[in-house]
């Protein structure tokens, strides 16, 4: 079990130090801003949608290791998925972080690397850090302009 925990920590640290899909997305049709005032996380998610599919997604901003790694892994996970699949993936991810049983669900998208965040469930304050990018993605999918806040 310790080896698995170490692997998950390595995944989070790698994505924090070298975030994937970081930077603005020129020509993005949708964008949303997110803020976690408790931790100081601030980010913007940019989307390029085509026929209901996330063709490209990027983010900018700054924050703690958990929020930056979550944003990085999120962009990798949702790129190429339909809007419905991206929303279903967030539902599974949110359950992983908030349900005592880890959100055991039958069916639905596989979390893959996102399971690295399972340990966050033990630190409820950090759940907001991990889910901020996802709430911001949802706002971008909904084409909402008001800033998303975890408070």
């Amino acid at each position: 079990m310790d080896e698995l925990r170490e692997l998950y920590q390595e995944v989070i640290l790698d994505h924090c130090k070298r975030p994937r899909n970081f930077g603005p997305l020129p020509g993005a049709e949708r964008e949303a801003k997110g803020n976690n005032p408790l931790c100081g996380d601030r980010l913007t998610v940019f989307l390029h949608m085509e026929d209901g599919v996330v063709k490209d997604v990027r983010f900018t901003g700054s924050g703690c290791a958990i929020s930056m790694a979550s944003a990085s892994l999120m962009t990798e996970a949702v790129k190429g998925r339909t809007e419905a699949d991206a929303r279903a993936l967030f539902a599974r991810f949110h359950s992983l972080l908030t349900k005592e049983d880890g959100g055991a669900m039958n069916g639905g998208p596989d979390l893959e690397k996102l399971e690295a965040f399972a340990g966050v469930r033990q630190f409820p304050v950090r759940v907001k850090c991990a889910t901020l990018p996802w709430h911001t993605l949802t706002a971008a999918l909904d084409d909402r302009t008001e800033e998303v806040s975890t408070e």
Side-chain angles (χ1 to χ4, degrees), residues 91-106:
R92 285 194 61 127
F93 181 69
H94 194 266
S95 290
L96 173 75
L97 299 181
T98 59
K99 304 290 187 214
E100 195 166 310
D101 65 355
M105 302 168 108
N106 294 323

Side-chain angles (χ1 to χ4, degrees), residues 67-111:
S67 69
M68 292 294 99
S70 180
S72 176
L73 283 158
M74 174 196 73
T75 61
E76 286 191 329
V78 302
K79 194 180 287 189
R81 291 185 186 260
T82 65
E83 182 175 334
D85 285 347
R87 290 177 190 275
L89 189 59
F90 175 36
R92 285 194 61 127
F93 181 69
H94 194 266
S95 290
L96 173 75
L97 299 181
T98 59
K99 304 290 187 214
E100 195 166 310
D101 65 355
M105 302 168 108
N106 294 323
D110 187 14
L111 291 174

Side-chain angles (χ1 to χ4, degrees), residues 1-10:
M1 188 63 156
D2 287 336
E3 290 175 12
L4 185 59
R5 188 170 319 159
E6 285 178 32
L7 173 65
Y8 284 166
Q9 288 174 346
E10 286 177 29

Side-chain angles (χ1 to χ4, degrees), residues 1-148:
M1 188 63 156
D2 287 336
E3 290 175 12
L4 185 59
R5 188 170 319 159
E6 285 178 32
L7 173 65
Y8 284 166
Q9 288 174 346
E10 286 177 29
V11 168
I12 290 171
L13 287 174
D14 179 46
H15 277 266
C16 172
K17 291 178 182 175
R18 290 176 290 286
R20 280 50 155 199
N21 303 302
F22 185 83
L25 180 60
E29 301 91 18
R30 301 180 195 181
E31 75 177 66
K33 296 185 182 313
N35 178 26
N36 176 1
L38 188 62
C39 194
D41 306 322
R42 297 189 72 80
L43 57 92
T44 303
V45 172
F46 305 92
L47 287 177
H48 170 61
M49 302 290 294
E50 200 172 291
D51 298 324
V53 173
V54 179
K55 285 296 185 181
D56 204 359
V57 56
R58 297 185 59 86
F59 76 100
T60 60
S62 62
C64 70
I66 297 293
S67 69
M68 292 294 99
S70 180
S72 176
L73 283 158
M74 174 196 73
T75 61
E76 286 191 329
V78 302
K79 194 180 287 189
R81 291 185 186 260
T82 65
E83 182 175 334
D85 285 347
R87 290 177 190 275
L89 189 59
F90 175 36
R92 285 194 61 127
F93 181 69
H94 194 266
S95 290
L96 173 75
L97 299 181
T98 59
K99 304 290 187 214
E100 195 166 310
D101 65 355
M105 302 168 108
N106 294 323
D110 187 14
L111 291 174
E112 299 174 6
K113 289 181 184 178
L114 293 170
E115 290 186 27
F117 292 95
V120 172
R121 183 174 51 250
Q122 298 170 353
F123 307 96
V125 170
R126 307 302 291 194
V127 169
K128 291 180 179 187
C129 301
T131 59
L132 176 66
W134 292 86
H135 287 294
T136 309
L137 171 70
T138 300
L141 288 169
D142 293 342
D143 208 12
R144 287 183 288 160
T145 56
E146 71 276 0
E147 183 176 80
V148 174

